[in-house]
Amino acid sequence: MQNNKVNTAEQERELFEQRVATNKAAIDSGDFSNFDDEVEFTLEQQRKLEQIELDKVAPTNPEAILEVRHLKKFFVLKKTFLGKPLSSLKAVDDVSFMVKPGETLGIVGESGCGKTTMGRTILKLHEPTDGQVFFEGEDIAKYSQKDMRALRTKMQIVFQDPYSSLPPRSTVGDILSEPVKVHNIVPQSEVKDYVMDLMEQCGLRDYYYERYPHEFSGGQRQRICIARALAVKPKFVVCDEPVSALDVSIQAQIINLLKKLQIERNLTYLFISHDLSVVKYISDKIGIMYLGSMVEFGNKTDIFNNPLHPYTEALFSAVPNPNPDEKTKKIVLTGDIPSPANPPKGCKFHTRCPRAMEICKHIAPEYKEMGEGHFCACHLYD
Amino acid sequence: MAMNSNSKKSDRHYLTGREVREIAKQNAKEMRRLEKEKNRKLPESAYVTKMRDDGNILEIENLHSYFFTDQGVVKAVNGVSFNIPVNSTVGVVGESGCGKSVTSMSVMRLLQGPTGQIVEGSIRFKAFDFKRDEKGKFIPVYERDANGEVVMEQATDKKGKPMFKNGEPVMRPKQLRDENGMGVYEKEEKVFDIAKMPIKEMYRLRGRQMSMVFQEPMTSLNPIFTIGDQLDEVTLLHVPGADKKYAKKHSIDMLNLVGIAMPERVYAAYPHELSGGMRQRVMIAMALAGQPRLIIADEPTTALDVTIQAQILTLFNDLKKKINGSILLITHDLGVIAEMADYVVVMYAGRIIEQGTASEIFHKPCHPYTQGLQKSKPTMKSNEEKLFNIPGNVPNPINMPDHCYFKERCSKCIGKCSGEYPGMYQVSPTHFVACHLYASEAENAKQ
């Protein structure tokens, strides 16, 4: 009986190796008619797990303030009867990057690509499914919410919608002094002076102290949100689409304010936006996300002057050009972004990619370094 | 205590209960008068006019649309005049609250009454309407033979059976039919003054002559009806003699036209099953179903991603050629305007501050606000260190000052700016600007 079992396992292994061999032959010959997607998927999972195990013990980069390794966030959609996850939405699927202090990392992508979820997962506002987040050399992914509370003075967030992220029943003074009191930033007696000082830095008049959020316009509210985030003297701020709800002339005011504060306080930003021109203006490094994965990452100049991934190219050409005489040829992507609950096989972008090849439909490209600090995941550069 | 009340009075946002009641009373009177005017019956001759320039499809002249709120009258549109030539795209830009959406709503007569009212001005629209007889019925076009005689055919009842009277077949003139089998009716070009039209008569224009693509595709489709139901309704209402079978065929054609891959599946789907881009396409299909001559697109791409935005804008450009119509495009994105529009109108606080062709506005902006708007938007090509920003906010729409509304935020103020509101100065044959800085230039241009 036992013998029999071993035999089957051996046979299975043999069979599997055979299938792997046929797949390899298919890749070499470029003929994908007999390609086995199941085997490729298993192999890919193995490769990924090995890489993750390798990276787990690797020392952190001493220069980085934030280092994210293989971060994953899955939302469970369906559960079995016993509560085991049956299917899940991969909002963030294996993202790795690094930010140096004083830098701004811009994250760009279409809606539903997981950029906001990533920002929130880094701050542990969502519990990460897997992966490591090193903040100043310590893995905070394992921290409990209680441990995180102390860290909140170092990392903060500015939310997207200034209309819904302020409590309507508190005055500006209350909103801004609460974090100061909770974290004992200054002695009780100096709280008001401290808040007044902060308000002045963020371009808010001192008589706003007694007012309620509904009395302000969108731009002023966003200033209050920024002041609230900065009240605890953080080192790292996640800006989640801070200007997309604002008008153009107000947008410029807020962006200039963020830049001014960054220089004054040596802040590090993770700037999430779907507006490429704003990201270009404010960022030092840029990461481009598609369906939960990072498809390209690099310095601003590299990304803008030499975009590698076809998605990046299409994204850049889709931005309207404010010069009516220059009619540039556009790369118009067909179709919509696929559902992250059921992403396409192989390269996730192949369904919309204008330069898709046969290999893209079957094998997911590896995310690797192409130039100095310029990462990309695309088969075009194999 | 006395000081306290003083400080409250000086605060422009604060009104006492008595003041609010007084304003409400005055407003109620005014609103009642305007509502009455909107609903009264008028003979057609009262609102049929002539175009100033025959090359235009829409002429807006001195339009005033106000909102009568309890805090005071908000002059959302305060004397706006511009034209839309046939077969062209006119873009209206401005920040939120500048009255661009209210202008478009006024053209469609969709202002939320009784607070929102068109108070003054005229909107002339060249419609290609069905001709009516004395009873208000459409006049059919009859088929004629080579001699010019009307062809007769045997009349049928509703079930398609031939009709007989006293054993003799009943004969009637044969109506001309188009390629879809729909009866043809006589049409004529008529110019309506929309601002003076009774609100009931607007059904003749909305959907059939002009239609609107709304800003939020997520909220403007009815969630409890299928896309097919909502699309068919347009055809059933606006094509005389259309039945459900024809409506379905037409709706699927329209879905095909806007580039939806599986129109039959989308036809049977509910709005929540579609993505944002698809919903916006459905909205555009709905706007096109009545074959209008003017499409008003109110921020059609604001809620969409850049890649989907590029798709929709390409679609609009293709469609304009296909249906031979005009587009009024309203947006706050200067880039979108530059790609789409032939003429640009820049609005600020309910007034037009600059208008001209697209290349004039983008290469030679005159008004300090237009200049500031262009400089404050980072572009993909520029590499500036610090973004230019226009200080301050849009002024409170209640109690607007008499002088130029932009004076408080302007960096190029001159003494004249504290005087009355500047008129439109002509800088070139097509370029107008409302700024005192160009008074002398306009004089020179005249001579």
Side-chain angles (χ1 to χ4, degrees):
Chain A
M1 190 70 197
Q2 214 180 7
N3 204 5
N4 206 357
K5 219 179 193 177
V6 171
N7 251 348
T8 9
E10 254 174 28
Q11 274 170 7
E12 255 176 31
R13 202 179 305 135
E14 254 174 44
L15 195 71
F16 187 76
E17 269 164 19
Q18 249 178 33
R19 286 160 80 185
V20 170
T22 34
N23 266 6
K24 260 188 189 163
I27 296 170
D28 289 337
S29 64
D31 174 24
F32 286 89
S33 50
N34 296 324
F35 196 77
D36 196 336
D37 285 330
E38 209 177 301
V39 173
E40 174 59 30
F41 184 73
T42 329
L43 283 177
E44 198 189 307
Q45 294 299 322
Q46 275 176 14
R47 277 201 299 268
K48 270 188 182 171
L49 283 176
E50 277 167 22
Q51 189 60 41
I52 290 171
E53 285 306 315
L54 271 179
D55 284 351
K56 252 185 193 164
V57 288
T60 55
N61 193 332
E63 281 179 359
I65 185 168
L66 181 82
E67 200 175 341
V68 175
R69 282 183 193 165
H70 304 288
L71 186 71
K72 286 179 188 172
K73 175 67 199 170
F74 297 170
F75 293 102
V76 176
L77 295 175
K78 266 186 193 164
K79 282 180 183 170
T80 58
F81 178 64
L82 295 170
K84 265 192 171 178
L86 199 65
S87 71
S88 50
L89 187 152
K90 296 178 178 176
V92 181
D93 191 6
D94 201 356
V95 170
S96 312
F97 61 87
M98 182 201 97
V99 196
K100 288 180 189 166
E103 268 186 350
T104 304
L105 168 64
I107 301 284
V108 202
E110 289 178 90
S111 55
C113 74
K115 48 192 197 303
T116 297
T117 312
M118 191 186 78
R120 286 170 160 247
T121 313
I122 288 169
L123 292 186
K124 296 255 294 174
L125 298 176
H126 290 310
E127 197 61 33
T129 310
D130 197 11
Q132 293 163 299
V133 179
F134 292 98
F135 184 73
E136 295 186 318
E138 288 202 40
D139 186 3
I140 61 167
K142 303 282 178 297
Y143 274 29
S144 67
Q145 286 299 334
K146 207 175 169 188
D147 297 333
M148 276 309 290
R149 181 164 257 210
L151 260 179
R152 296 269 178 243
T153 56
K154 292 185 183 165
M155 42 206 321
Q156 277 291 329
I157 184 166
V158 177
F159 292 100
Q160 175 171 11
D161 185 4
Y163 291 90
S164 58
S165 52
L166 292 171
R169 285 172 183 269
S170 313
T171 61
V172 173
D174 290 342
I175 292 168
L176 296 184
S177 37
E178 190 179 339
V180 182
K181 284 177 189 161
V182 168
H183 291 290
N184 282 324
I185 304 293
V186 290
Q188 281 289 337
S189 53
E190 293 167 28
V191 168
K192 191 167 177 182
D193 290 338
Y194 176 80
V195 169
M196 288 289 191
D197 200 37
L198 184 72
M199 281 168 65
E200 199 196 315
Q201 280 182 32
C202 293
L204 296 161
R205 307 257 171 80
D206 51 357
Y207 58 84
Y208 290 174
Y209 192 85
E210 297 291 335
R211 289 202 181 168
Y212 289 90
H214 74 262
E215 297 175 57
F216 296 99
S217 63
Q220 299 288 15
R221 281 186 218 205
Q222 200 56 283
R223 283 173 194 267
I224 299 170
C225 290
I226 291 169
R228 177 174 63 178
L230 297 184
V232 292
K233 297 184 179 167
K235 291 179 178 167
F236 174 71
V237 181
V238 174
C239 303
D240 185 4
E241 309 233 11
V243 293
S244 41
L246 306 175
D247 278 319
V248 182
S249 72
I250 310 296
Q251 235 179 41
Q253 290 176 10
I254 297 293
I255 293 170
N256 281 340
L257 174 71
L258 283 170
K259 271 214 151 180
K260 186 194 98 182
L261 291 167
Q262 179 170 38
I263 294 161
E264 282 174 7
R265 297 171 169 238
N266 194 22
L267 292 168
T268 311
Y269 288 138
L270 181 73
F271 194 91
I272 297 164
S273 178
H274 65 266
D275 192 336
L276 277 161
S277 43
V278 170
V279 167
K280 186 198 173 194
Y281 177 71
I282 200 163
S283 313
D284 304 307
K285 279 186 177 161
I286 291 175
I288 288 152
M289 283 183 80
Y290 187 77
L291 267 187
S293 315
M294 199 74 93
V295 293
E296 194 166 352
F297 181 88
N299 284 327
K300 175 167 74 176
T301 44
D302 286 346
I303 296 258
F304 275 85
N305 299 338
N306 180 24
L308 293 176
H309 201 279
Y311 180 62
T312 318
E313 278 176 30
L315 214 55
F316 287 170
S317 88
V319 176
N321 182 6
N323 186 350
D325 298 339
E326 254 178 55
K327 296 277 187 237
T328 43
K329 186 95 179 95
K330 275 194 173 176
I331 309 169
V332 176
L333 292 178
T334 49
D336 288 320
I337 186 164
S339 157
N342 185 19
K345 266 182 207 158
C347 174
K348 286 174 183 169
F349 185 55
H350 86 255
T351 50
R352 300 173 76 194
C353 184
R355 293 161 76 179
M357 300 176 289
E358 195 56 36
I359 190 173
C360 304
K361 289 178 191 164
H362 301 284
I363 299 171
E366 208 184 324
Y367 178 68
K368 57 188 176 189
E369 200 162 358
M370 301 284 172
E372 200 187 324
H374 194 163
F375 293 84
C376 178
C378 185
H379 282 303
L380 285 174
Y381 306 98
D382 283 348
Chain B
M1 198 62 210
M3 243 186 75
N4 201 3
S5 69
N6 261 340
S7 70
K8 271 185 177 175
K9 268 221 169 124
S10 64
D11 189 347
R12 270 196 292 169
H13 292 284
Y14 188 79
L15 289 173
T16 59
R18 184 178 289 171
E19 280 169 323
V20 169
R21 278 193 294 280
E22 215 159 88
I23 292 170
K25 211 168 147 192
Q26 279 175 7
N27 283 348
K29 213 170 146 191
E30 189 72 0
M31 283 191 291
R32 220 174 296 136
R33 183 180 69 81
L34 289 163
E35 271 304 286
K36 230 182 201 173
E37 226 166 69
K38 221 159 82 176
N39 292 326
R40 74 181 163 190
K41 274 188 183 167
L42 275 177
E44 209 180 64
S45 57
Y47 51 83
V48 171
T49 55
K50 272 198 180 130
M51 285 306 227
R52 288 279 153 81
D53 180 354
D54 217 36
N56 294 333
I57 187 160
L58 186 82
E59 292 177 351
I60 300 176
E61 197 181 326
N62 196 23
L63 180 72
H64 290 258
S65 295
Y66 296 171
F67 286 91
F68 295 93
T69 68
D70 286 358
Q71 269 70 45
V73 180
V74 178
K75 297 181 177 174
V77 175
N78 195 1
V80 162
S81 319
F82 64 91
N83 304 330
I84 301 179
V86 176
N87 290 347
S88 63
T89 307
V90 174
V92 179
V93 239
E95 293 180 274
S96 49
C98 74
K100 52 191 195 307
S101 282
V102 180
T103 309
S104 68
M105 288 292 195
S106 305
V107 173
M108 291 291 277
R109 288 295 293 274
L110 286 173
L111 285 181
Q112 188 71 46
T115 8
Q117 299 284 357
I118 297 177
V119 179
E120 209 189 315
S122 54
I123 306 165
R124 288 185 293 273
F125 176 67
K126 189 160 45 174
F128 199 52
D129 200 11
F130 291 110
K131 215 171 183 174
R132 285 150 197 265
D133 56 13
E134 312 83 63
K135 287 177 189 164
K137 279 191 175 169
F138 302 154
I139 304 168
V141 181
Y142 297 118
E143 218 174 289
R144 286 170 193 277
D145 58 14
N147 301 331
E149 296 278 313
V150 174
V151 180
M152 300 298 274
E153 61 169 0
Q154 194 175 1
T156 51
D157 63 2
K158 276 176 190 166
K159 284 176 186 164
K161 275 186 190 167
M163 284 192 345
F164 293 93
K165 202 174 180 185
N166 305 332
E168 294 271 310
V170 184
M171 298 303 278
R172 67 170 181 200
K174 191 179 177 190
Q175 194 182 356
L176 203 67
R177 292 187 180 270
D178 62 5
E179 65 269 29
N180 293 319
M182 287 296 117
V184 178
Y185 294 88
E186 274 186 51
K187 281 187 170 183
E188 60 180 345
E189 209 153 75
K190 243 184 206 173
V191 179
F192 293 111
D193 189 344
I194 292 172
K196 291 192 182 66
M197 243 168 138
I199 203 86
K200 272 194 176 160
E201 293 294 317
M202 280 304 292
Y203 292 123
R204 286 163 66 174
L205 300 183
R206 284 190 208 132
R208 197 180 296 169
Q209 304 289 339
M210 49 161 114
S211 58
M212 195 157 178
V213 179
F214 291 95
Q215 180 166 6
E216 280 188 33
M218 307 287 167
T219 51
S220 0
L221 287 168
N222 193 334
I224 59 166
F225 291 106
T226 61
I227 300 295
D229 285 339
Q230 299 181 49
L231 266 172
D232 285 354
E233 198 187 349
V234 184
T235 319
L236 292 172
L237 271 174
H238 295 303
V239 179
D243 54 1
K244 275 191 178 167
K245 207 175 137 199
Y246 170 73
K248 182 171 180 182
K249 184 177 159 278
H250 188 64
S251 301
I252 287 177
D253 283 351
M254 283 299 138
L255 289 175
N256 253 328
L257 186 71
V258 295
I260 284 178
M262 291 168 291
E264 273 88 4
R265 224 173 98 184
V266 171
Y267 182 86
Y270 284 91
H272 71 265
E273 297 173 54
L274 307 179
S275 66
M278 294 266 263
R279 275 183 244 198
Q280 193 58 282
R281 276 160 198 270
V282 170
M283 290 292 295
I284 295 169
M286 203 177 282
L288 293 175
Q291 291 160 343
R293 287 151 61 89
L294 174 70
I295 299 174
I296 301 172
D298 188 358
E299 311 237 5
T301 57
T302 308
L304 305 174
D305 286 314
V306 264
T307 55
I308 310 292
Q309 171 173 292
Q311 288 175 14
I312 299 283
L313 294 183
T314 333
L315 176 69
F316 263 120
N317 268 335
D318 293 347
L319 286 176
K320 199 179 91 184
K321 284 172 207 147
K322 265 187 208 167
I323 62 162
N324 214 3
S326 315
I327 300 177
L328 173 60
L329 179 74
I330 289 160
T331 174
H332 67 265
D333 192 333
L334 285 165
V336 172
I337 287 278
E339 297 228 330
M340 295 283 296
D342 306 315
Y343 299 95
V344 180
V345 173
V346 187
M347 283 184 76
Y348 184 75
R351 280 181 188 251
I352 292 179
I353 54 155
E354 192 165 359
Q355 66 184 98
T357 62
S359 65
E360 276 169 346
I361 298 286
F362 285 94
H363 295 306
K364 221 184 102 203
C366 287
H367 201 281
Y369 176 68
T370 321
Q371 290 168 355
L373 213 57
Q374 280 183 23
K375 272 191 270 175
S376 59
K377 176 91 186 147
T379 57
M380 296 294 286
K381 283 184 186 153
S382 58
N383 276 318
E384 62 276 270
E385 262 307 291
K386 192 173 187 305
L387 268 186
F388 177 83
N389 66 34
I390 307 172
N393 285 306
V394 182
N396 182 0
I398 302 170
N399 303 325
M400 280 291 197
D402 295 329
H403 54 74
C404 174
Y405 300 158
F406 192 60
K407 190 190 153 212
E408 274 77 25
R409 302 175 76 187
C410 188
S411 54
K412 295 180 178 172
C413 266
I414 50 173
K416 226 175 161 185
C417 292
S418 318
E420 61 179 57
Y421 194 90
M424 280 303 230
Y425 296 112
Q426 190 168 16
V427 200
S428 85
T430 48
H431 194 174
F432 296 86
V433 60
C435 180
H436 286 303
L437 288 173
Y438 297 90
S440 56
E441 198 171 313
E443 292 270 303
N444 291 339
K446 256 182 202 171
Q447 288 162 8

